[in-house]
Amino acid sequence: MSQLQGILTRLKNLQEQANGSEPSQRFFEVNGERKCQVTYHPKTETFELEVYQDKEKPKRYQFDNIDMITIEIFDLIQ
């Protein structure tokens, strides 16, 4: 399985795990270092991507398209 397909599968599982109105979260790491966190909000059916960078405040981005956030995560962990 390609890395891109693996990310997409994890995001789809995140959507399925979300129960009712409770958001679900997942971290993506490279060599044990957290690169980002994804939160899925079932009420709005949106993803929130929180990007961690060295010694900087995390940046947050909103996505309503699973393909777009998959590509963004792929770029972050390369």
Side-chain angles (χ1 to χ4, degrees):
M1 175 177 4
S2 74
Q3 192 172 19
L4 199 57
Q5 183 63 41
I7 295 168
L8 185 58
T9 300
R10 291 177 71 188
L11 292 175
K12 286 181 179 179
N13 289 339
L14 191 64
Q15 282 181 311
E16 292 169 4
Q17 291 171 358
N19 55 350
S21 61
E22 289 297 312
S24 53
Q25 298 177 333
R26 176 150 293 178
F27 293 99
F28 288 85
E29 301 177 348
V30 175
N31 298 325
E33 179 186 345
R34 284 189 180 166
K35 293 293 184 179
C36 63
Q37 172 184 312
V38 176
T39 304
Y40 177 71
H41 300 278
K43 278 186 177 179
T44 58
E45 296 182 0
T46 59
F47 294 93
E48 180 178 82
L49 177 64
E50 187 170 344
V51 178
Y52 304 120
Q53 296 177 350
D54 291 334
K55 301 175 185 173
E56 288 185 27
K57 186 176 177 180
K59 296 178 182 167
R60 294 182 179 190
Y61 306 94
Q62 301 290 326
F63 293 87
D64 60 0
N65 182 304
I66 194 168
D67 295 327
M68 295 305 292
I69 190 170
T70 301
I71 293 167
E72 191 68 31
I73 293 168
F74 180 78
D75 287 343
L76 280 170
I77 62 176
Q78 285 299 308

